[in-house]
Amino acid sequence: MLAFYYLVQQAQFVYCICCLREANATPKRHCVIPGTLKTHRMNNIIQNIIQQLEDVQQGKPWIGSTFVSKLNQVDENEYFKRPIEDLHSVAEIISHLTLWRSEAILKFKTGKGSKTDDCEENWLPNDKLKVIGWDKIKSSYDKTLSDLIALLRIKNDDFLSKQYFDTDFKGYYTYNWLLSGMIQHDVYHLGQIGIIIKYLKMK
């Protein structure tokens, strides 16, 4: 099976074995790579990033906890509760994460974001979130993860070194920096949810 990914050089192009093994096949456009030998799709780093994003949600990360395992501990009447005044509710955190994941998707598509840390949507209060309802909040959260991963799957690793304009940090940054930040952001707020749940169960 490894041979499937090897490339054979013809003239000034490199074609992948998957095309050449077919009888009388003409190499497909997506398999033509000018220049030096490369693998069929150079996205090993992106695949690793996708795995990390998925693991934090419902996999088996080294930290031991995931969003699924934590949210399963929350009762229906607890999503919008702040156990103490200085802590957010679970719903507030999930809404916050959804906003910044949506922003990441926008940056991938357009090269520029639209929100800043002081925008209202960054931390919607519980009274507004209750109107939206937990089911819609959670489904929006899940959809942004699926949409982000779908966008990443069609990218090659060289995409990570490209830059976008960050409206919040007011400068140009690489997509690799953005994705590293998204993973860090998820883990940070997963820890917060753990603390919130601990306080909720103490009452």
Side-chain angles (χ1 to χ4, degrees):
M1 293 300 295
L2 289 176
F4 183 86
Y5 296 100
Y6 287 359
L7 302 175
V8 174
Q9 188 159 6
Q10 286 191 354
Q12 73 270 35
F13 294 110
V14 176
Y15 302 116
C16 67
I17 289 292
C18 65
C19 291
L20 296 177
R21 324 178 50 169
E22 300 174 15
N24 300 318
T26 300
K28 300 178 180 65
R29 185 69 177 174
H30 74 276
C31 295
V32 180
I33 308 172
T36 58
L37 293 176
K38 295 184 181 180
T39 55
H40 187 258
R41 174 176 284 174
M42 296 291 289
N43 66 351
N44 292 333
I45 298 173
I46 284 181
Q47 290 301 323
N48 181 264
I49 290 170
I50 291 172
Q51 187 65 55
Q52 291 183 66
L53 288 167
E54 292 177 331
D55 281 349
V56 171
Q57 299 304 315
Q58 57 183 356
K60 293 183 178 179
W62 183 88
I63 57 176
S65 297
T66 65
F67 278 89
V68 168
S69 68
K70 288 300 181 186
L71 293 178
N72 283 341
Q73 299 175 35
V74 183
D75 297 331
E76 187 174 346
N77 63 346
E78 294 176 327
Y79 292 123
F80 302 96
K81 283 186 177 180
R82 284 187 169 194
I84 58 177
E85 186 176 350
D86 291 337
L87 283 180
H88 289 289
S89 68
V90 170
E92 285 175 313
I93 288 179
I94 294 299
S95 171
H96 169 78
L97 289 168
T98 301
L99 171 72
W100 291 110
R101 197 180 288 146
S102 297
E103 273 293 288
I105 292 169
L106 179 65
K107 291 164 185 173
F108 287 139
K109 289 181 175 180
T110 68
K112 185 177 180 180
S114 66
K115 304 296 182 184
T116 60
D117 195 53
D118 57 0
C119 71
E120 181 186 7
E121 302 96 320
N122 191 25
W123 288 109
L124 287 175
N126 281 308
D127 56 347
K128 290 190 176 181
L129 293 173
K130 286 178 181 178
V131 174
I132 298 171
W134 172 252
D135 288 344
K136 188 170 182 179
I137 292 169
K138 183 58 166 57
S139 65
S140 296
Y141 174 83
D142 292 337
K143 186 177 186 304
T144 56
L145 178 65
S146 298
D147 290 348
L148 176 61
I149 289 174
L151 278 173
L152 288 175
R153 289 197 192 282
I154 62 174
K155 301 293 186 182
N156 290 329
D157 287 345
D158 56 5
F159 170 77
L160 297 173
S161 63
K162 294 180 179 179
Q163 293 187 328
Y164 72 97
F165 183 80
D166 196 295
T167 50
D168 195 29
F169 290 97
K170 296 178 176 56
Y172 286 92
Y173 296 85
T174 66
Y175 287 109
N176 184 63
W177 183 84
L178 172 61
L179 286 164
S180 295
M182 294 302 298
I183 295 169
Q184 295 161 13
H185 195 223
D186 281 354
V187 173
Y188 173 77
H189 286 297
L190 174 61
Q192 279 194 326
I193 289 175
I195 293 171
I196 292 167
I197 292 172
K198 184 174 181 178
Y199 275 100
L200 285 172
K201 302 306 180 184
M202 287 172 61
K203 292 198 170 186

